[in-house]
Amino acid sequence: MGRTTNTLQKWDRQGKLIAHRTPTTNRRYYTHDQYLEYRGLKAVEQGKTIGYARVSGVAQKPDLKNQVKALEVYCQTHSIPIDEWIQDIGSGLNYKRKGFNRLMEMVELGYVRRLVIAHRDRFVRFGYSYFEAFCARHNCDIIVLNDDTLSPEHEMVQDLITITTVFSARLHGLRSYKRGIKDAALHQDPH
């Protein structure tokens, strides 16, 4: 919060920012919600509505445009104004995507009230439930345009196919890496 302990104690006594107390030691503590409220981010109406779209590779850029267009049509039909669009090109398994991380930071700080995505897989390939719970804890609703619920068997098959595809690509990359090392060793100057 950028305030000293003395200031926080004074604010607690004045009722400006009332601290919670631990039951056994009576020590002051503050919650994340109190921090957000202090920063003026508590009010739900202040949050933005973000449209998020993602494709796996540069070759799919036309699909990214189509995804955004479909989200725009959905939002117009349902009277959902989008304040900001975030787009990513990268694997749904890669949690280091620039737009994704910016979005998660905005959610954590309480800037996002609503997130609109085309499909769960467009957001993250695995662990969607975790991110859904994370957003809910920070008062952010997720609207999924194509929320097809699959049977557990179909979902497991899709997950296995994705895992196989990812590790096949990594294995191929590893072979190329080993071949490069071997070639470099053969062409190394012995002196």
Side-chain angles (χ1 to χ4, degrees):
M1 295 175 93
R3 301 290 182 230
T4 65
T5 304
N6 288 338
T7 300
L8 292 174
Q9 290 170 348
K10 183 172 119 182
W11 286 359
D12 186 27
R13 287 189 299 274
Q14 293 172 345
K16 185 175 179 180
L17 183 60
I18 299 171
H20 295 280
R21 299 289 186 140
T22 58
T24 53
T25 61
N26 201 33
R27 292 185 63 96
R28 290 179 176 90
Y29 71 93
Y30 299 92
T31 65
H32 185 68
D33 285 343
Q34 285 177 295
Y35 168 72
L36 292 176
E37 190 170 343
Y38 168 76
R39 293 195 55 209
L41 303 171
K42 181 69 173 167
V44 173
E45 62 273 3
Q46 289 182 353
K48 290 183 174 184
T49 298
I50 304 288
Y52 180 81
R54 179 194 65 80
V55 292
S56 296
V58 177
Q60 295 175 319
K61 263 192 171 179
D63 293 338
L64 186 61
K65 288 181 182 179
N66 292 337
Q67 195 180 135
V68 169
K69 187 67 179 163
L71 288 170
E72 286 174 340
V73 169
Y74 176 86
C75 290
Q76 288 172 354
T77 304
H78 291 85
S79 301
I80 302 171
I82 298 291
D83 297 307
E84 185 177 339
W85 287 97
I86 296 178
Q87 299 175 25
D88 268 330
I89 297 177
S91 169
L93 297 171
N94 177 4
Y95 296 125
K96 294 180 181 178
R97 294 173 303 210
K98 187 178 179 180
F100 175 79
N101 282 309
R102 189 169 139 258
L103 173 61
M104 289 292 95
E105 185 176 324
M106 290 170 65
V107 168
E108 183 177 23
L109 292 173
Y111 294 144
V112 182
R113 175 184 58 205
R114 189 171 28 207
L115 173 62
V116 183
I117 58 177
H119 195 275
R120 292 174 179 207
D121 287 353
R122 296 293 98 204
F123 189 50
V124 292
R125 186 65 180 123
F126 290 111
Y128 176 82
S129 299
Y130 168 79
F131 291 101
E132 183 179 44
F134 175 84
C135 288
R137 279 193 311 272
H138 293 88
N139 302 314
C140 174
D141 296 324
I142 301 178
I143 298 172
V144 183
L145 183 64
N146 296 319
D147 197 12
D148 303 334
T149 52
L150 301 172
S151 69
E153 294 84 11
H154 285 95
E155 192 171 329
M156 183 182 239
V157 168
Q158 278 190 334
D159 289 347
L160 287 173
I161 289 170
T162 300
I163 290 169
T164 304
T165 302
V166 167
F167 283 104
S168 295
R170 285 187 181 174
L171 185 60
H172 178 70
L174 185 59
R175 285 187 196 130
S176 298
Y177 176 72
K178 284 182 179 178
R179 191 170 28 252
I181 290 174
K182 193 181 281 185
D183 289 346
L186 290 174
H187 295 89
Q188 191 175 30
D189 187 14
H191 300 299

